[in-house]
Amino acid sequence: QVQLVESGGGLVQAGGSLRLSCAPSGRTFSGYRMGWFRQAPGKEREFVAAIINWSGGSTYYTDSVKGRFFISRDSAKNTVYLQMNSLKPEDTAVYYCAAGSRYDNTYYDPRAYDYWGQGTQVTVSS
């Protein structure tokens, strides 16, 4: 069974940093695009960042995290990371890793991803 396993969440003060990791098990996702989404209580799941392996590792971010969050992947470790800096209370959410096989520009759409992790909680205190 294919799984995506996130780790690295936790409680941090505003201005602090966290690094989330996503490690697939059961298969490799070398040809997939990988994304991070988040969902705060009472809100819809929203796009955070994506990395597109087949286009030279192009990265995309939602405007609210540009310059603060950075997505990367280590192919040797089959792991995707989300480095989160200068965290704000509004970044508080459950963060999900996702993998998708579509070759189009729908990297921001959660419906375009095939596999999801269980989520990891990130809480930023003010």
Side-chain angles (χ1 to χ4, degrees):
Q1 183 177 357
V2 177
Q3 287 185 316
L4 295 173
V5 181
E6 302 104 333
S7 62
L11 173 64
V12 64
Q13 288 189 329
S17 298
L18 285 173
R19 189 178 76 159
L20 305 183
S21 300
C22 173
S25 66
R27 63 165 294 163
T28 179
F29 287 95
S30 60
Y32 280 57
R33 64 184 171 197
M34 302 298 294
W36 286 96
F37 291 77
R38 66 186 180 187
Q39 188 166 19
K43 295 187 177 181
E44 294 187 352
R45 191 168 298 190
E46 67 169 350
F47 169 74
V48 176
I51 186 164
I52 314 299
N53 203 40
W54 62 84
S55 65
S58 297
T59 56
Y60 301 89
Y61 300 92
T62 192
D63 286 346
S64 62
V65 307
K66 285 180 180 177
R68 299 190 298 123
F69 290 14
F70 301 93
I71 187 171
S72 62
R73 68 192 304 166
D74 185 332
S75 298
K77 296 182 178 180
N78 201 28
T79 300
V80 176
Y81 303 97
L82 183 68
Q83 178 67 44
M84 305 186 296
N85 302 324
S86 302
L87 282 161
K88 304 176 181 180
E90 51 263 45
D91 294 319
T92 295
V94 177
Y95 283 71
Y96 296 90
C97 175
S101 60
R102 291 173 60 170
Y103 287 72
D104 56 26
N105 290 326
T106 57
Y107 56 84
Y108 54 86
D109 188 347
R111 297 170 298 178
Y113 288 79
D114 307 304
Y115 301 96
W116 290 85
Q118 80 289 350
T120 185
Q121 177 70 46
V122 172
T123 302
V124 184
S125 63
S126 57

